[in-house]
Amino acid sequence: MGNGSSTTDTVLHTTDPLQEPTIEPLNPVPNTLAGYPAPKPPHNRKSEILQFFNFKEVDADAKNVPPGDVISVEELSRRLTAGYSKTLLKVRALLVWMSEQPVFSKKWSTSAPANSPEGMLLLLQKGGMSYAAFFATLCRAAGIQCVIIPGIAKSVAYEVGDPCTDNLTNSWNAVFIGGAWRFIFPLWACRCVVGQSTGKWTLVESKDFEKGMSPKSLDGAVIGQLNDFFFLTDPDIFQYFCLPNDPKWQLVPKTISVEKFLSLPYLKQDFFENKLKFLSASSCRLETIHGECDVIIKVPENFSLTFSYDLCFKNTDSNSKLPPQTQLKNYVAVIHQDCKVTFSVRCPAVGMYILKVEGNQQGEKSWLFSSCIECSEVKAQVSPYPTVPEIGFGPQKLTYDAGLHALSHKTGYVHVQRNKTCEFSFLLEKFVIVHATLHRSAIPSANLAQYVSQRIQNDNLRIDVMPPQDGEYTLHINCKEKGSTKGFMNVCNYLLNTDTKKMRSWENAREKVARLDLKAKSLLATPNNAEELQLAIERANTLCLEDKGDLKFAHDRLDYLQLQKALSDGINRRNLDILEPAIIAAKSSEIEYKLLDRIKEAEELRDHLLTLKRFAHDVLDLKQTTISELHRYSIPSPLILNVMKATFLLLGENPQNLETWEELQILMRQSGRHSLLSRVRNFDTQGTDQALAGRVLEMLQPYTIEHVTAASSGAGTFYNWAKNIATEVIGVKKGKGKASQTSKKSRGTTQKK
């Protein structure tokens, strides 16, 4: 979990070790300070920020600063950040230093001053200060804007599907880096828990179940280790883990409620790091249909993880009991189909279940997600799957790596007919020996050997299967390279069923209505009613409708509409905070090619708005006293008069109201949103035509920046702004791309000044 070496801070806890203390400390650190920027969604993603940075040296230096070497937090913060000019590097150094401290395993001096690092680490150990408060103190001492965000978080105490938030209170931080607020969860970034269990769920394969008992709550080992996932986490990902009390600090365009937060799928860190996506109902609490439920995820191409899972039964919330000796692991089938993986669950009894899915790679397991499954009715007879192979069912990367390229069946679930041959064909891309076996519950595989045959002709492998009876079978395909001394390896499996209902060769009325609704919503969907299509997709997934192309079309259509709407909103509102995320999302999508014209339009507008923002920078840096000096001129020179007249012309004032210096003075004295600085800050060229821009350039043409600045530094700043804006307007309106070149020359003049 995370990167970096772990510290020796390993200790057992009986409460949630990843929850900040809820008791108000004696000397609380304020959540925010006056003058901080307002919370807004960031304009780019974490990956874009980090692509140009290497933290190797920063991390190494931060780890070599003992807390006892400095006498105050201020001195510690200066020592950690003094060598860096970038805010990001300073923040990184502070977090790495915190992650290296053995907070709970070391005996800190009780005589250390309260403001010393050791004094605060002692306070942290005793629960008198939170990690979030300590991190904010370090940041502020280094001049970094940092807020503490209280809220609720799905930590160790969280039970998937539980609507109660009593044990979820927590706090984290946001730091202002690169013009935007970024999330950091210091407690979760500095510590992790291994081996935690609340004891509410029964893993049926455990010995405790055989005794009719639930496993006791297990304390987790807490390991100090830097986890980069909670360093600058993107808000759209962070909202699956944490919900602030103040909705504005969600930092997303569309905020969610507490109820929505608790209903979100319970996705873990590795789910996002492996670029997985939920395709089934977007909820952590799922309902079965006749005791069956499918959990479907999308995986990227060439996905290398294999999946493992645990299916557990919740005794306390279930009115029935599982049949004796039930092995729930045999009631889940993992079915691969292209870039989609389905966990098909059967419930042998009415009650509450939890499905926990892990990813396996080179012997390492990582928790991906959990789903709570509510079963209100079951079939009269529920049978386990014949076998549950570790790699699941269907062709996957492992199959292709072994040299078998599936030609006939791309999905792991196959409908077959009794006493009729079903042919499975593969293209062999390596010299391999293949051994296929057929399996069915309660029947030895040796007895079924006569019903499966195989032959290789040229580079083609053909496996024929003829089920002797109705029911479910599994076909295992094992192979090894010719000449290899290693044993056979299972590389592909198929789940075979003679039940036509399972393959949905017919659909009941409810399913037909859902499919027709899906098709209609896909065709009629627009950016303004895309939510209706989203609901239709979730309904189809809930009913486990077979994808006959219409479900994929619906997903592609929904992605297109959502991306198109985000781009249109940004363009129509001419808002950088909306434009930037929309452009990033569109360019990183699989359907970028469909949005190229809209993306180009959005990028051109973004660049234009950024140009205006750059032009306004020097004006907004002016002190009010400088502007006051300007309007206090009793008889200004014609140069200053024309510069200020040109400025107000661009800001939309009627030329008839700008004839005298007294009229300009009145405008310069206005305050609030009508003040000169406020009008420059909010200026947009949308209502400015070429004729007006040309008139402004004519007014300014007799002067140079040197002449204007010599007369008044404030007037020089407005001269540059007005000239740059007018030049930009003429270039953009003509569409010849000359504006950027002229603007660069003007900016170069400013820099030279």
Side-chain angles (χ1 to χ4, degrees), residues 631-704:
H631 74 65
R632 277 202 296 266
Y633 282 111
S634 56
I635 304 177
S637 65
L639 179 154
I640 294 177
L641 178 67
N642 284 330
V643 166
M644 298 314 297
K645 185 182 292 187
T647 298
F648 281 107
L649 275 175
L650 284 174
L651 292 175
E653 288 293 336
N654 191 321
Q656 295 178 355
N657 298 331
L658 304 174
E659 296 295 333
T660 67
W661 178 246
E662 289 76 14
E663 290 172 319
L664 291 170
Q665 285 178 309
I666 292 173
L667 292 172
M668 283 188 280
R669 280 196 292 265
Q670 290 183 331
S671 59
R673 63 188 181 91
H674 298 294
S675 70
L676 179 54
L677 292 183
S678 179
R679 292 176 69 177
V680 169
R681 179 183 296 108
N682 299 316
F683 175 77
D684 192 349
T685 59
Q686 194 170 18
T688 308
D689 58 28
Q690 288 188 64
L692 177 61
R695 182 178 175 184
V696 167
L697 289 178
E698 287 178 6
M699 293 174 64
L700 300 178
Q701 192 273 333
Y703 315 114
T704 66

Side-chain angles (χ1 to χ4, degrees), residues 157-174:
Y158 174 70
E159 287 289 345
V160 59
D162 190 348
C164 180
T165 63
D166 293 345
N167 297 322
L168 303 183
T169 57
N170 224 316
S171 59
W172 52 94
N173 299 100

Side-chain angles (χ1 to χ4, degrees), residues 381-599:
Q381 226 175 1
V382 183
S383 301
Y385 290 99
T387 59
V388 282
E390 286 188 7
I391 66 169
F393 299 96
Q396 52 200 278
K397 186 175 184 297
L398 176 67
T399 312
Y400 301 122
D401 289 346
L404 276 69
H405 184 87
L407 299 176
S408 59
H409 295 80
K410 305 290 187 179
T411 177
Y413 191 94
V414 181
H415 173 242
V416 294
Q417 293 181 310
R418 182 183 63 175
N419 294 326
K420 288 192 176 182
T421 299
C422 180
E423 176 186 316
F424 296 83
S425 57
F426 296 84
L427 175 65
L428 296 181
E429 298 177 334
K430 292 182 179 180
F431 294 105
V432 294
I433 301 172
V434 179
H435 181 51
T437 57
L438 192 62
H439 304 264
R440 188 180 179 189
S441 300
I443 299 179
S445 58
N447 295 355
L448 297 173
Q450 59 183 312
Y451 301 105
V452 56
S453 62
Q454 63 187 56
R455 69 174 183 270
I456 297 176
Q457 186 174 4
N458 296 326
D459 291 330
N460 292 301
L461 166 68
R462 173 174 170 174
I463 301 174
D464 292 336
V465 178
M466 186 176 67
Q469 300 174 356
D470 283 330
E472 251 180 356
Y473 298 80
T474 57
L475 173 65
H476 291 203
I477 302 173
N478 308 305
C479 78
K480 69 175 183 177
E481 291 192 36
K482 288 183 178 179
S484 172
T485 57
K486 296 181 179 179
F488 282 92
M489 179 175 67
N490 183 216
V491 297
C492 188
N493 307 289
Y494 288 97
L495 180 61
L496 316 178
N497 200 324
T498 61
D499 184 0
T500 56
K501 296 181 182 179
K502 185 67 181 180
M503 288 303 294
R504 300 189 182 278
S505 58
W506 61 271
E507 292 177 343
N508 59 33
R510 186 181 178 190
E511 293 165 339
K512 287 179 180 178
V513 169
R515 190 178 293 281
L516 289 173
D517 184 55
L518 180 70
K519 291 179 178 179
K521 292 290 194 304
S522 299
L523 295 173
L524 300 175
T526 67
N528 294 326
N529 64 7
E531 289 186 359
E532 295 180 12
L533 177 56
Q534 174 72 56
L535 292 174
I537 291 173
E538 291 188 5
R539 179 177 173 80
N541 287 328
T542 301
L543 294 174
C544 306
L545 293 188
E546 180 188 356
D547 187 5
K548 299 179 179 179
D550 42 14
L551 195 56
K552 184 180 185 304
F553 177 79
H555 274 291
D556 291 344
R557 180 65 177 164
L558 180 63
D559 288 345
Y560 173 77
L561 292 174
Q562 290 175 334
L563 293 169
Q564 185 188 51
K565 185 176 188 300
L567 289 169
S568 297
D569 286 349
I571 292 170
N572 294 335
R573 296 170 64 177
R574 300 175 69 84
N575 188 317
L576 280 170
D577 292 334
I578 300 175
L579 269 175
E580 285 282 8
I583 292 170
I584 292 168
K587 294 184 72 173
S588 60
S589 73
E590 297 176 356
I591 55 172
E592 177 189 7
Y593 66 95
K594 294 183 179 180
L595 298 158
L596 290 178
D597 290 342
R598 203 61 169 157
I599 291 173

Side-chain angles (χ1 to χ4, degrees), residues 210-370:
E210 296 174 4
K211 300 175 183 178
M213 300 170 59
S214 294
K216 295 180 180 179
S217 177
L218 301 176
D219 295 328
V222 182
I223 301 175
Q225 177 177 327
L226 182 62
N227 183 354
D228 276 315
F229 183 77
F230 292 105
F231 173 63
L232 310 184
T233 317
D234 290 319
D236 59 334
I237 294 176
F238 198 73
Q239 69 177 354
Y240 282 90
F241 299 86
C242 305
L243 185 76
N245 294 337
D246 185 347
K248 293 193 298 292
W249 282 106
Q250 293 181 32
L251 301 184
V252 291
K254 186 176 181 180
T255 60
I256 60 174
S257 64
V258 175
E259 293 73 22
K260 177 63 176 177
F261 171 70
L262 294 174
S263 71
L264 288 175
Y266 189 32
L267 312 180
K268 303 298 289 184
Q269 170 180 337
D270 287 279
F271 184 92
F272 295 100
E273 291 183 339
N274 283 288
K275 299 180 180 179
L276 306 180
K277 183 179 179 180
F278 247 76
L279 295 179
S280 53
S282 182
S283 174
C284 65
R285 196 179 183 98
L286 308 174
E287 296 182 4
T288 63
I289 298 177
H290 305 305
E292 297 184 350
C293 176
D294 283 353
V295 180
I296 310 170
I297 61 172
K298 182 180 180 181
V299 301
E301 291 185 11
N302 298 318
F303 188 67
S304 59
L305 287 184
T306 57
F307 295 100
S308 61
Y309 58 85
D310 285 321
L311 185 63
C312 307
F313 186 74
K314 193 170 185 180
N315 293 319
T316 55
D317 286 5
S318 302
N319 296 324
S320 61
K321 294 185 177 181
L322 291 174
Q325 307 303 319
T326 301
Q327 299 293 305
L328 281 182
K329 199 172 188 69
N330 297 331
Y331 288 81
V332 181
V334 183
I335 302 171
H336 298 260
Q337 181 180 3
D338 296 324
C339 290
K340 182 176 73 174
V341 179
T342 301
F343 297 85
S344 191
V345 181
R346 295 172 178 172
C347 299
V350 172
M352 297 292 294
Y353 298 79
I354 182 172
L355 175 69
K356 177 181 177 181
V357 175
E358 295 179 319
N360 310 314
Q361 188 170 30
Q362 298 179 348
E364 294 289 332
K365 283 191 175 184
S366 57
W367 186 1
L368 300 176
F369 69 89
S370 292

Side-chain angles (χ1 to χ4, degrees), residues 1-163:
M1 180 175 178
N3 299 319
S5 59
S6 61
T7 70
T8 57
D9 188 14
T10 305
V11 63
L12 294 182
H13 285 257
T14 54
T15 57
D16 187 347
L18 296 186
Q19 183 181 28
E20 296 282 28
T22 56
I23 301 175
E24 183 70 18
L26 296 177
N27 297 307
V29 178
N31 288 347
T32 187
L33 297 179
Y36 276 9
K40 293 181 180 179
H43 54 276
N44 54 4
R45 299 191 69 79
K46 172 180 176 177
S47 58
E48 295 177 77
I49 301 172
L50 299 186
Q51 63 179 326
F52 302 112
F53 288 91
N54 186 325
F55 297 126
K56 186 176 181 180
E57 292 185 7
V58 179
D59 292 1
D61 291 343
K63 293 175 182 179
N64 290 324
V65 181
D69 280 9
V70 289
I71 61 173
S72 69
V73 168
E74 289 75 17
E75 184 182 345
L76 170 66
S77 188
R78 284 195 299 271
R79 181 165 172 180
L80 288 169
T81 62
Y84 313 112
S85 60
K86 298 288 187 181
T87 303
L88 175 59
L89 298 179
K90 295 180 180 182
V91 171
R92 175 72 180 192
L94 297 174
L95 184 66
V96 170
W97 182 88
M98 282 187 65
S99 72
E100 282 295 302
Q101 306 314 308
V103 177
F104 292 93
S105 62
K106 183 174 179 178
K107 187 174 182 180
W108 302 102
S109 173
T110 56
S111 61
N115 189 40
S116 69
E118 288 190 326
M120 287 200 170
L121 288 168
L122 176 63
L123 198 62
L124 199 65
Q125 184 184 71
K126 292 183 175 181
M129 173 177 271
S130 66
Y131 271 71
F134 191 15
F135 185 68
T137 302
L138 287 172
C139 285
R140 292 169 186 175
I144 300 166
Q145 295 173 317
C146 178
V147 298
I148 302 170
I149 305 175
I152 57 176
K154 295 177 180 177
S155 184
V156 175
Y158 174 70
E159 287 289 345
V160 59
D162 190 348

